[in-house]
Amino acid sequence: MKIQTKITLLFFCIGTAGLLVFHYAIFYFVSDFNFEDFYKRLDTRSKLTAEVSIHPDERSADYAEMRARYLEKMEDEKNYVFKIDSLENPDFKNSIGLPPYFYKNIVENGTARFSRDNMFYYGRLFNKNSSRYIVVVSASDPSGFHELEVLRRALIVLFGVSVLLTYVAGKIFSHYMVRPLTAVIRNVKNISANNLHLRLNELDGKDEMSELVLTFNNMLNRLETAFATQNNFVSNASHELKTPIAIITAELELMLSRRDLDHDTRVSANRALAHAEKLGHIITSLLGLAQTGFDGKKQNWQKIRIDELVLTVADSVKKIVPDSVIHIDFSLLPGEEEKLCTEGNVNLLQLAVSNIVINACKYSNNQPVEIRIIAENERIAIAVTDKGIGIPLKEQQYIFEPFFRASNTGHFQGHGIGLPLTLNIIRLHNGSIGIRSEEEVGTEMQIILPVCRSFC
């Protein structure tokens, strides 16, 4: 989930929760005020009822007239007056269907409230001449309930509209919050190994986003320095090593051209020449890798015919491993010439394919190795099959890790860098490598590369 979406959802949830509490508080306090006001009106009527019924005198008629003339007649209004001595009378307890605790609260506290559905009851205790009376006034409040219902509907509609506005506000808020980060991501995507000199535009202020941009620019400085140092080292080292290797190879070839060499000397010279060829092959490949900037820059790329590449690899492998037996199967070649072409760096691809073919020859003790070229679905596959020692099933997932060697390769020389380098080269060419192996049966490795769109 994107950060902008998370911010929107968080803002929406917090806003919705706040709105829910706010609307509930409005409804609660308004309803509480309405009920409290209604009970106060019942209290006023209970006092007037006591003046008229419990304390009749010359003013009672005036109270009754004032009540009839000036007080609003409540819906279903009824008045009850009970003498306290009647509390023990069961008929009294149930005379208006109220629970006993209602009367008990009146006696203990002086007043009591009770409601059932839309009917409200208010009771008050009065004293007269050492006698006590309970006055109960009841009425319904349909208008109050109607007002609360109208308020409830209005709050529901207002809540829905507010929730929608909260979501829109969250989207706008998250957009402005993430906009600097989006700009940074967009600029970062334009930076690759080809243009490490580019930097992000520094932001004003001292917030976290400005600190992120500054940190990223510092990291780019370190990366650019590291890439340049590595490139210069490999390039210079390759150049420096290439010259003495060429001299050694030339001297060995000149020595082998003499006819007066004894057998042992000739065998040793041939062995040295094979290793010199192998070392020269590695150095040439490293030089090509350095020239591409370690990332396969396309300025050095060209159209490559896979069949010609395989033939070149087979010849170079036979020089490095003279006892190797390589069979190239051209029976599956496509009829269209354009399906045999890919785009890439020829030195790097030769190194990648050579590493796999050399491994096939080495780990099969120079038994026949078959190379097949297959083209289908806009892909070119180079399949190298041997009948060697194979790779243990549990170790196959680690063979592309640097310096890893399978447990059954102890009798063979190697350093575990060929396949990792091969995988990196193939990935630079937008390709992939597949493997199928079984111990003591053999191994098949496939290099899959995309077909070049334009004709070779």
Side-chain angles (χ1 to χ4, degrees):
M1 184 183 295
K2 293 185 177 180
I3 294 180
Q4 183 173 355
T5 305
K6 290 182 179 179
I7 294 177
T8 301
L9 291 178
L10 182 61
F11 186 92
F12 175 76
C13 292
I14 295 176
T16 301
L19 287 171
L20 186 62
V21 173
F22 178 72
H23 284 78
Y24 176 79
I26 291 176
F27 185 80
Y28 173 79
F29 287 115
V30 170
S31 61
D32 183 69
F33 174 80
N34 282 352
F35 292 144
E36 188 66 28
D37 180 68
F38 192 75
Y39 278 119
K40 287 181 180 179
R41 292 160 64 189
L42 291 179
D43 182 43
T44 301
R45 282 160 176 76
S46 69
K47 293 177 181 178
L48 289 175
T49 300
E51 291 293 338
V52 174
S53 303
I54 300 176
H55 310 289
D57 54 24
E58 64 276 3
R59 293 182 299 176
S60 298
D62 295 334
Y63 284 124
E65 182 181 358
M66 182 181 64
R67 176 174 181 172
R69 178 177 297 184
Y70 297 106
L71 289 184
E72 175 190 0
K73 180 67 175 178
M74 291 185 171
E75 192 78 18
D76 300 326
E77 182 180 347
K78 295 180 181 179
N79 303 309
Y80 305 92
V81 180
F82 306 102
K83 197 172 183 179
I84 197 69
D85 298 335
S86 301
L87 271 174
E88 302 301 328
N89 187 350
D91 294 335
F92 167 76
K93 291 183 180 179
N94 300 316
S95 58
I96 55 177
L98 297 178
Y101 68 82
F102 175 73
Y103 303 106
K104 183 178 180 180
N105 288 337
I106 296 176
V107 174
E108 293 178 353
N109 303 319
T111 61
R113 298 176 179 183
F114 181 75
S115 64
R116 180 187 295 142
D117 297 331
N118 192 25
M119 185 64 67
F120 298 86
Y121 299 87
Y122 185 85
R124 176 178 281 276
L125 181 66
F126 293 92
N127 297 315
K128 181 182 180 182
N129 300 329
S130 69
S131 297
R132 291 186 295 177
Y133 297 86
I134 291 178
V135 176
V136 178
V137 180
S138 65
S140 61
D141 187 21
S143 61
F145 273 87
H146 177 70
E147 291 175 358
L148 290 178
E149 180 63 22
V150 172
L151 176 64
R152 185 181 67 85
R153 293 178 181 177
L155 289 177
I156 291 176
V157 174
L158 183 60
F159 177 76
V161 174
S162 300
V163 167
L164 180 61
L165 293 178
T166 300
Y167 178 76
V168 175
K171 292 286 288 185
I172 297 174
F173 174 76
S174 63
H175 172 73
Y176 280 99
M177 286 292 294
V178 180
R179 186 168 61 176
L181 182 60
T182 304
V184 170
I185 294 174
R186 185 172 56 252
N187 293 332
V188 169
K189 287 182 177 179
N190 295 327
I191 300 176
S192 65
N194 297 336
N195 51 11
L196 282 176
H197 62 280
L198 296 180
R199 295 295 182 269
L200 301 178
N201 297 326
E202 296 187 2
L203 304 176
D204 296 331
K206 297 182 179 180
D207 56 5
E208 289 79 0
M209 192 58 63
S210 301
E211 185 177 354
L212 175 64
V213 171
L214 183 61
T215 302
F216 198 88
N217 283 338
N218 291 335
M219 183 188 68
L220 286 175
N221 291 334
R222 295 192 296 270
L223 282 176
E224 185 180 16
T225 302
F227 267 68
T229 302
Q230 188 177 11
N231 197 350
N232 291 334
F233 170 78
V234 175
S235 180
N236 293 334
S238 299
H239 276 296
E240 294 297 328
L241 291 173
K242 193 173 182 180
T243 299
I245 291 297
I247 294 175
I248 293 173
T249 302
E251 291 294 334
L252 288 172
E253 290 177 346
L254 179 61
M255 180 186 298
L256 290 171
S257 65
R258 294 174 53 184
R259 297 183 178 181
D260 58 343
L261 286 179
D262 59 80
H263 176 72
D264 292 340
T265 303
R266 186 173 296 277
V267 170
S268 298
N270 280 322
R271 185 180 298 110
L273 180 60
H275 284 282
E277 292 281 357
K278 182 177 181 179
L279 183 58
H281 171 73
I282 295 175
I283 292 174
T284 301
S285 301
L286 287 176
L287 179 59
L289 185 61
Q291 291 173 342
T292 61
F294 300 96
D295 62 346
K297 292 180 182 177
K298 290 192 175 181
Q299 66 266 23
N300 292 325
W301 283 25
Q302 60 187 12
K303 302 295 176 53
I304 304 171
R305 280 186 59 120
I306 294 299
D307 53 346
E308 296 176 356
L309 176 70
V310 169
L311 289 172
T312 302
V313 168
D315 291 339
S316 64
V317 171
K318 288 180 180 179
K319 292 180 180 179
I320 298 172
V321 187
D323 296 332
S324 61
V325 180
I326 301 174
H327 299 305
I328 303 177
D329 183 1
F330 291 118
S331 62
L332 299 177
L333 289 181
E336 299 84 356
E337 185 179 0
E338 63 270 17
K339 291 185 178 181
L340 284 171
C341 295
T342 189
E343 187 178 15
N345 184 288
V346 64
N347 291 329
L348 293 180
L349 283 180
Q350 284 181 3
L351 173 61
V353 179
S354 296
N355 284 337
I356 292 179
V357 177
I358 290 174
N359 282 348
C361 295
K362 178 170 63 174
Y363 293 116
S364 63
N365 291 313
N366 294 323
Q367 295 185 62
V369 173
E370 182 182 43
I371 303 177
R372 290 175 292 122
I373 302 175
I374 307 168
E376 58 183 4
N377 299 326
E378 301 299 322
R379 292 280 176 175
I380 307 172
I382 304 173
V384 180
T385 307
D386 64 62
K387 299 178 181 179
I389 62 175
I391 305 171
L393 181 61
K394 294 182 179 179
E395 300 179 7
Q396 292 180 14
Q397 57 182 323
Y398 305 111
I399 63 172
F400 294 107
E401 294 183 4
F403 308 110
F404 175 81
R405 302 195 71 207
S407 58
N408 58 348
T409 59
H411 300 292
F412 299 90
Q413 292 183 352
H415 304 285
I417 60 174
L419 288 181
L421 180 59
T422 296
L423 179 62
N424 289 337
I425 293 173
I426 298 304
R427 283 177 174 174
L428 290 177
H429 291 77
N430 299 318
S432 60
I433 299 179
I435 180 172
R436 182 174 57 193
S437 182
E438 184 178 350
E439 281 191 271
E440 305 302 332
V441 175
T443 300
E444 178 180 341
M445 299 194 73
Q446 282 195 5
I447 296 177
I448 302 175
L449 297 168
V451 173
C452 184
R453 294 183 180 274
S454 57
F455 184 73
C456 297

